[in-house]
Amino acid sequence: METYELEEEMFSALVDDERLIELLPSGAKSIFHYVAPATLKYPAVVYSPISDVPILNGDNRELAHRVTIRVHVITKQDCTKAELEKFREACGRVKRIMLGLGFSRVQTTPFVEDGKAMIIFDFVKGVES
C-alpha cells in the first residue's frame, strides 16, 4: 500500500464518520489535505503525511514501510464553551478513527498560534510495499 492510498483511506474514514461531519461547520469541506485556507470556520481538520520510511528490505527491494500522518484539529483560541466542546469531541473522533484504521498514536501536542488553538496528532502505521 502506498502513502497516497493510506491518505485516501483516511479521508474516506473521516468523511464517513457521521458524528465528526456533524461537528464540523462545513461538514466534509472542513477537512483539508496539507493546508487549510486563510478564511476558515472552526473546528477544522488538516492532515498530511510527514514521513514515509522503509522498514524492511529484501531481494533488492522495499518490502514494508512506516508512514507517519500528522493531523491538526483546529479551533479559535477565544472560542465559546460550546465551540470548545465540539473541538474536544472532534479530537476524540479523529483519534478513534485513526486507531480504527490500524494507526498507532505516536504523540499529541497542543499548540497555539495566531489566535488559533490546535491539537496536533502524529499517527504511524507500518504497511507492505
Side-chain angles (χ1 to χ4, degrees):
M1 178 176 277
E2 296 298 324
T3 301
Y4 74 89
E5 293 170 305
L6 279 176
E7 292 175 86
E8 290 170 355
E9 177 183 64
M10 182 190 138
F11 179 76
S12 292
L14 292 170
V15 170
D16 289 346
D17 189 279
E18 291 179 18
R19 181 61 186 148
L20 177 62
I21 295 304
E22 288 173 6
L23 294 168
L24 302 175
S26 299
K29 292 182 180 178
S30 293
I31 301 172
F32 303 96
H33 189 241
Y34 286 111
V35 179
T39 56
L40 187 61
K41 294 180 184 177
Y42 300 100
V45 176
V46 180
Y47 68 95
S48 59
I50 61 168
S51 72
D52 183 338
V53 180
I55 57 174
L56 182 62
N57 292 292
D59 295 329
N60 294 321
R61 67 182 187 93
E62 181 181 301
L63 300 173
H65 57 120
R66 181 180 59 241
V67 177
T68 303
I69 294 184
R70 181 165 286 164
V71 181
H72 296 73
V73 182
I74 308 167
T75 194
K76 299 179 295 190
Q77 188 174 1
D78 61 346
C79 63
T80 66
K81 186 175 181 179
E83 291 169 330
L84 182 60
E85 287 303 315
K86 283 185 176 185
F87 168 74
R88 288 178 176 161
E89 188 176 347
C91 288
R93 299 298 308 174
V94 166
K95 183 178 168 184
R96 279 191 288 280
I97 291 164
M98 295 299 286
L99 296 176
L101 292 172
F103 284 86
S104 297
R105 186 173 57 86
V106 178
Q107 68 179 2
T108 302
T109 307
F111 189 73
V112 177
E113 182 178 70
D114 297 331
K116 298 175 192 160
M118 60 193 85
I119 297 294
I120 304 168
F121 296 101
D122 285 353
F123 295 98
V124 66
K125 184 175 184 176
V127 291
E128 291 183 11
S129 295

